[in-house]
Amino acid sequence: MTDMLGEITLRKKPLQTTMGLLSFGSRTIPCALGRSGLGPIKLEGNGITPLIQTRILYGFYRPDKERRPVSALPFFRLEKNMGWCDAPGHPNYNRLVQLPFSASHERMWRDDDLYDLVLVLDINIDPRANRRGSALFIHVARPGYSATEGCIALAKPDLRHLLAVISTKTRLTIAR
């Protein structure tokens, strides 16, 4: 493994609301942003990718489609019974949950490829505030980099390259 990066920077792509440029090491790659672009306040459902400095905590990979990534980050196998609670007010809000789950949630095992590789960002994790956003991840982009619900989405080859050079000490700065 190469030297680990200490810093990643994301900025909005000029003249684009829902596209960004993620810079790390000597590389700059395109990424998708939330449908409402970058903003200072993330609220549940507002589609904003928050302006923040944060850590990347850990990741998941889908074992029927991917091998465990080469990364210094902790990685866990996705299972079909995994979900992520997005129900404000629920005690498990913005937490991994086991399905079936009665409150509103997102399925982590998806029919598309978006969560084949997914990184959990330390946004509204600890401390956690009601309605301040849930399931804010870095994940695989849709074709054409269509907007997300507030996540950051990269082409799968770019995401794999990023995984090889980051650790839990890497900081992600999202700025205008």
Side-chain angles (χ1 to χ4, degrees):
M1 218 175 295
T2 61
D3 291 333
M4 296 294 111
L5 291 175
E7 181 78 17
I8 301 169
T9 304
L10 187 152
R11 296 194 184 281
K12 185 176 82 66
K13 189 172 183 180
L15 306 176
Q16 301 281 326
T17 300
T18 63
M19 287 287 299
L21 295 170
L22 189 76
S23 298
F24 58 98
S26 62
R27 294 185 66 159
T28 298
I29 57 173
C31 62
L33 304 173
R35 62 182 154 70
S36 300
L38 297 175
I41 300 173
K42 175 62 182 167
L43 297 172
E44 189 67 41
N46 72 355
I48 283 179
T49 300
L51 297 164
I52 195 168
Q53 184 177 58
T54 190
R55 297 177 307 133
I56 303 167
L57 299 174
Y58 55 90
F60 293 102
Y61 68 100
R62 189 157 155 179
D64 63 323
K65 294 183 175 184
E66 296 288 327
R67 286 181 289 188
R68 187 188 186 290
V70 174
S71 182
L73 286 174
F75 259 88
F76 305 95
R77 293 167 53 104
L78 273 179
E79 304 290 339
K80 290 182 180 182
N81 68 342
M82 290 179 169
W84 200 274
C85 179
D86 59 10
H90 192 280
N92 286 321
Y93 177 62
N94 199 27
R95 296 286 189 263
L96 186 68
V97 294
Q98 185 173 338
L99 305 180
F101 187 71
S102 61
S104 179
H105 64 277
E106 185 170 344
R107 294 187 67 82
M108 297 296 289
W109 189 278
R110 297 174 60 113
D111 292 334
D112 57 25
D113 295 334
L114 299 188
Y115 289 178
D116 289 0
L117 295 168
V118 60
L119 303 176
V120 178
L121 300 175
D122 190 13
I123 300 175
N124 200 32
I125 297 282
D126 186 25
R128 180 175 45 152
N130 195 30
R131 304 200 66 78
R132 291 306 299 259
S134 63
L136 291 163
F137 303 139
I138 297 176
H139 61 72
V140 177
R142 288 183 178 93
Y145 295 93
S146 62
T148 70
E149 293 299 311
C151 293
I152 300 161
L154 308 174
K156 195 181 277 190
D158 290 334
L159 183 49
R160 280 192 197 106
H161 184 80
L162 178 67
L163 292 176
V165 296
I166 61 174
S167 73
T168 56
K169 294 180 181 177
T170 304
R171 295 291 179 257
L172 168 63
T173 300
I174 305 170
R176 288 193 191 277

